[in-house]
DNA sequence: TATAAAATTATATTGATTATAAAATTATAA
DNA sequence: TTATAATTTTATAATCAATATAATTTTATA
């Protein structure tokens, strides 16, 4: 039998409301929807991408709200920054230790499972954050290139 | 006998002139000095830090030259970006595969030796760049904090 | 309902980086 | 050497994601 990909559970708005509350964040329609997009779609979007995505469903939303909310989420540590972009922040609501690969062809940001990482020269240091970021091409873009 | 730290060789201006030439980069006083600072001091400076450092010795230098030169060096792939800063680029002329730790106390960026890294889920991908970036506190800053 | 607190909006500001065009320097040809 | 072209550097303006500000709207609570 083939190993099956674990299908990540989709968070309901109620799940998110509880989660925000547990982290001392008051809920609002926008906050719920921004977090929902991050946690369920998992595309590591920029603030602008989140804004454009939500504007379809909630046309009254303003970019400031997205920026404010993301800053709040960072402060409360329920999202992390992804460093694959030169001039823009990308956001991830998945906090477990994993890496990222940005495909330079299609722009998608893929999650990487890190099986093993051993560093030396860190004796006496205290670590708060770790980021592993790759750039490359995904299989689809490689195939397209070689046609 | 204790394992001894390898002392990195210091590059002469002639070394650098040859190196730039090998990479199709014409030399100039500023280009030589910018690369010299990067390769010999190894502090992973920002453009602004390079500008301030060189201005002491070469007061006529302009920030534009530093930005232009760093962009050229990136294009010719003789420097790489270090992603430890939120709003600023840091630069490294050491191209071998290694990681970085930014101390949030003193701001220094340390090099890390990566003994082992094993990723999964990259079958069929092509990788061009890898970055490993940590944030934390260095031993000196930890000691200072605990006094 | 009245009042206070918080969230959202529109707008202006910031600041690192890039773009542009003129001036200075360097390389090459005559 | 002198002329000419190519390159580098400079001063300046422009860009643009992110932040700050203050007014407005919404929500919570008395
Ligand atoms: Mn991720
Ligand atoms: Mn380094
Ligand atoms: Zn792709
Ligand atoms: Zn330190």
């Amino acid at each position: 039998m083939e190993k099956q990909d674990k299908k990540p559970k989709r968070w309901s708005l109620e799940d998110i409301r509880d989660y925000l509350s547990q982290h001392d964040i008051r809920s609002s329609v926008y906050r719920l929807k921004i977090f929902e997009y991050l946690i369920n779609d998992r595309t590591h979007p920029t603030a602008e991408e989140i804004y454009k995505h939500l504007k379809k469903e909630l046309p009254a939303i303003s970019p400031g709200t997205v920026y404010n909310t993301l800053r709040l989420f960072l402060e409360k540590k329920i999202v992390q920054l992804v460093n694959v972009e030169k001039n823009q922040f990308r956001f991830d609501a998945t906090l477990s230790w994993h890496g990222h690969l940005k495909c330079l062809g299609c722009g998608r940001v893929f999650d990487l499972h890190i099986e093993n990482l051993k560093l030396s020269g860190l004796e006496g240091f205290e670590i708060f954050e770790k980021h592993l970021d790759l750039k490359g091409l995904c299989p689809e873009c490689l195939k397209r290139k070689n046609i």
Side-chain angles (χ1 to χ4, degrees), chain A:
Chain A
M1 195 200 284
E2 282 290 308
K3 201 179 83 180
Q4 198 151 355
D5 266 357
K6 193 170 46 182
K7 191 188 297 178
K9 81 160 201 285
R10 285 187 72 83
W11 290 44
S12 71
L13 290 181
E14 264 319 304
D15 291 338
I16 298 171
R17 189 184 296 280
D18 292 347
Y19 188 68
L20 296 186
S21 166
Q22 283 157 29
H23 290 84
D24 287 314
I25 301 172
R26 296 161 58 125
S27 288
S28 75
V29 174
Y30 295 141
R31 288 176 179 182
L32 289 169
K33 285 298 200 169
I34 290 171
F35 194 86
E36 185 192 33
Y37 184 46
L38 287 167
I39 199 70
N40 285 338
D41 282 54
R42 294 165 182 267
T43 56
H44 313 90
T46 63
E48 198 195 356
E49 286 167 357
I50 295 170
Y51 171 70
K52 284 183 178 164
H53 178 82
L54 293 185
K55 201 165 174 55
K56 289 180 257 169
E57 196 183 342
L58 303 165
I61 195 173
S62 79
T65 298
V66 179
Y67 282 106
N68 287 342
T69 302
L70 291 169
R71 199 140 27 92
L72 176 68
F73 286 177
L74 278 175
E75 224 175 271
K76 299 293 188 179
K77 298 192 200 307
I78 63 165
V79 300
Q80 62 168 326
L81 284 174
V82 180
N83 292 318
V84 289
E85 219 65 55
K86 238 182 151 200
N87 331 295
Q88 255 176 313
F89 301 159
R90 291 191 172 274
F91 297 87
D92 193 348
T94 303
L95 301 177
S96 60
W97 166 226
H98 66 287
H100 294 102
L101 178 139
K102 166 154 179 149
C103 173
L104 301 176
C106 58
R108 282 182 292 176
V109 177
F110 296 85
D111 284 325
L112 300 179
H113 181 245
I114 298 164
E115 303 213 348
N116 193 291
L117 173 64
K118 195 175 168 200
L119 303 172
S120 62
L122 280 177
E123 301 77 19
F125 284 82
E126 188 179 342
I127 310 300
F128 301 135
E129 280 182 43
K130 288 184 287 186
H131 298 274
L132 178 67
D133 302 297
L134 314 192
K135 297 191 185 176
L137 285 170
C138 74
E140 295 174 40
C141 287
L142 277 173
K143 194 177 292 173
R144 192 179 314 130
K145 224 180 63 175
N146 294 333
I147 282 172

